[in-house]
Amino acid sequence: MELERVLTKLRYDESVRGYALFTNDGEPFLSFSLPEETLPVIRGTMKIHSKSLKLMNVMTGEGTVVLARVDSNWVLGVLFIAEESLGGALQKTSDVIQLLGNTELPPPPTSVIIPDSEDEASTEVHPPETQVSPPDDSDTVPLETINVRHGCIVHKDDRYSDAMRIDSPLYLELKKHFANIGMDILMMVDEKRTVAKIAQTLDRSIDRTSEIVRWCVSRHIVRIECPEEQTSGQKEIIELPVFEGDLSKVKKEHRAVIELCDGNRTLHEIADMLGMLYFQALQCLIPYRGKTVRFIQKAK
């Protein structure tokens, strides 16, 4: 099963507030709507229990987080709404873990590996001593000369491994410019996915994804293979919320978002129109999702 299909199971579960795949040191990747406030608690828990962790729940100020071991490199963290029972949260997380067991996961940054023995556990893992400095201006391709389109297939280039190594200069430069979004995009590079497919998988806009891919191309982290013609078949699939209930029964604080859910705007667009964060708009939607709010798919 494809990773994006598994993650969609969580994304549209009305009891799920957010989720992320965590490396063994508690760094979140492929994250969706997980509040920053939950991260210190998750990191602290994983620092203590990462090696022995299988399935456990953590109480945070934002709700219950269920942590579950996916494989030796990844831990799934799922934040549930307060109304969800602990038993239900544990079962839903376990169901997703089963699906992830049949999914090819991207490799994590290379310095996060669980030690196989207690002796190794006491040794901090470092990147290789030899590090390559970021390309100088003579090696960097000017951004204005790079044309990234939605149908371009993204491939790994010469400096991909360097960018995927935590604390390498190139990794730090990527994170400085794009935070974790840049690394999420690199993790989705499998020599087959297009820019549009990567954007759809990560729930990011085509424009933002193209911007980051362009930057990575300029620094020889990835390269792109673009068809001569971007045919009508190369379309971005977007998901649009539709409200099909009685607006008078919607809570006052949710109404501004809900009344714009007419099947013509994405939730990102609604949030931008109202001048609020995407996560805030999502919280307005959660109580009605799967009941009076559904999502439809359209080709953009």
Side-chain angles (χ1 to χ4, degrees), residues 207-266:
D207 289 344
R208 181 62 167 163
T209 304
S210 298
E211 175 192 357
I212 296 172
V213 169
R214 182 180 295 109
W215 188 92
C216 290
V217 169
S218 76
R219 282 152 177 80
H220 309 285
I221 299 171
V222 301
R223 58 183 177 83
I224 52 176
E225 174 191 350
C226 301
E228 286 298 320
E229 295 183 11
Q230 301 282 297
T231 65
S232 59
Q234 297 278 4
K235 293 182 179 179
E236 178 188 2
I237 303 300
I238 57 174
E239 290 171 322
L240 311 168
V242 181
F243 177 67
E244 299 175 320
D246 184 350
L247 194 60
S248 65
K249 295 181 180 179
V250 174
K251 290 184 178 181
K252 186 177 179 180
E253 60 268 29
H254 300 158
R255 199 165 295 168
V257 171
I258 295 299
E259 66 184 359
L260 292 176
C261 296
D262 58 2
N264 294 313
R265 308 173 182 89
T266 67

Side-chain angles (χ1 to χ4, degrees), residues 5-16:
R5 291 182 60 190
V6 178
L7 296 182
T8 298
K9 184 177 177 67
L10 290 172
R11 186 174 300 171
Y12 296 117
D13 186 327
E14 61 186 16
S15 67
V16 174

Side-chain angles (χ1 to χ4, degrees), residues 66-81:
V66 177
L67 297 173
R69 171 67 62 189
V70 180
D71 60 19
S72 61
N73 294 316
W74 293 111
V75 170
L76 175 67
V78 186
L79 174 64
F80 289 90
I81 60 174

Side-chain angles (χ1 to χ4, degrees), residues 23-93:
T23 54
N24 292 313
D25 58 354
E27 281 298 309
F29 293 96
L30 308 182
S31 179
F32 177 76
S33 297
L34 195 66
E36 288 285 336
E37 292 79 7
T38 63
L39 297 181
V41 178
I42 293 173
R43 287 193 180 105
T45 301
M46 291 189 61
K47 185 175 181 180
I48 299 170
H49 300 288
S50 178
K51 188 179 178 184
S52 60
L53 188 152
K54 291 185 179 178
L55 181 68
M56 66 183 298
N57 65 290
V58 182
M59 301 306 297
T60 74
E62 301 294 325
T64 300
V65 174
V66 177
L67 297 173
R69 171 67 62 189
V70 180
D71 60 19
S72 61
N73 294 316
W74 293 111
V75 170
L76 175 67
V78 186
L79 174 64
F80 289 90
I81 60 174
E83 292 76 10
E84 179 67 18
S85 69
L86 178 58
L90 292 171
Q91 185 59 57
K92 287 181 178 181
T93 306

